[in-house]
């Protein structure tokens, strides 16, 4: 599977602009068999499918993740996978609005 090296996870924020976290591919795979990505701190971790579906992964105890609006390949052309409905992180089904 040819997965991008980096993604931008876009989280909807209450401020004027959304929060964007850059994550990089690790050597690990998630439960779905897709690559696990993490930010430079190792705190934000996500399994991202080849269709851009995101499953947030806990990196420590007592975490309550906010789900990104989308995962996109960084760069001027934004040629990454199309935005997907965020998963609820447990069942892989779309999160309730």
């Amino acid at each position: 599977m040819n997965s991008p090296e980096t993604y931008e996870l876009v989280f909807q924020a209450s401020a004027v602009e959304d929060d964007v976290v850059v994550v990089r591919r690790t050597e690990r795979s998630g439960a779905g068999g897709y690559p696990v990505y993490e930010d430079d701190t190792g705190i934000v971790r996500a399994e991202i499918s080849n269709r851009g579906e995101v499953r947030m992964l806990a990196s420590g105890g007592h975490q309550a993740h906010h789900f990104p609006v989308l995962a996109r390949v960084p760069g001027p052309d934004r040629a990454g996978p199309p935005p997907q409905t965020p998963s609820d992180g447990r069942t892989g089904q779309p999160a309730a609005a």
Side-chain angles (χ1 to χ4, degrees), residues 25-47:
R25 189 173 68 203
T26 68
E27 294 183 7
R28 294 183 299 271
S29 295
Y34 296 105
V36 170
Y37 292 76
E38 67 182 23
D39 71 340
D40 290 337
T41 67
I43 295 171
V44 177
R45 289 186 187 162
E47 177 183 7

Side-chain angles (χ1 to χ4, degrees), residues 2-61:
N2 190 11
S3 301
E5 285 295 316
T6 61
Y7 272 101
E8 292 176 338
L9 297 180
V10 181
F11 296 84
Q12 195 169 35
S14 59
V16 177
E17 295 183 31
D18 292 337
D19 288 331
V20 177
V21 177
V22 175
V23 292
R24 290 175 178 71
R25 189 173 68 203
T26 68
E27 294 183 7
R28 294 183 299 271
S29 295
Y34 296 105
V36 170
Y37 292 76
E38 67 182 23
D39 71 340
D40 290 337
T41 67
I43 295 171
V44 177
R45 289 186 187 162
E47 177 183 7
I48 304 176
S49 77
N50 57 353
R51 297 186 319 175
E53 299 163 320
V54 180
R55 179 189 308 237
M56 298 302 295
L57 305 172
S59 60

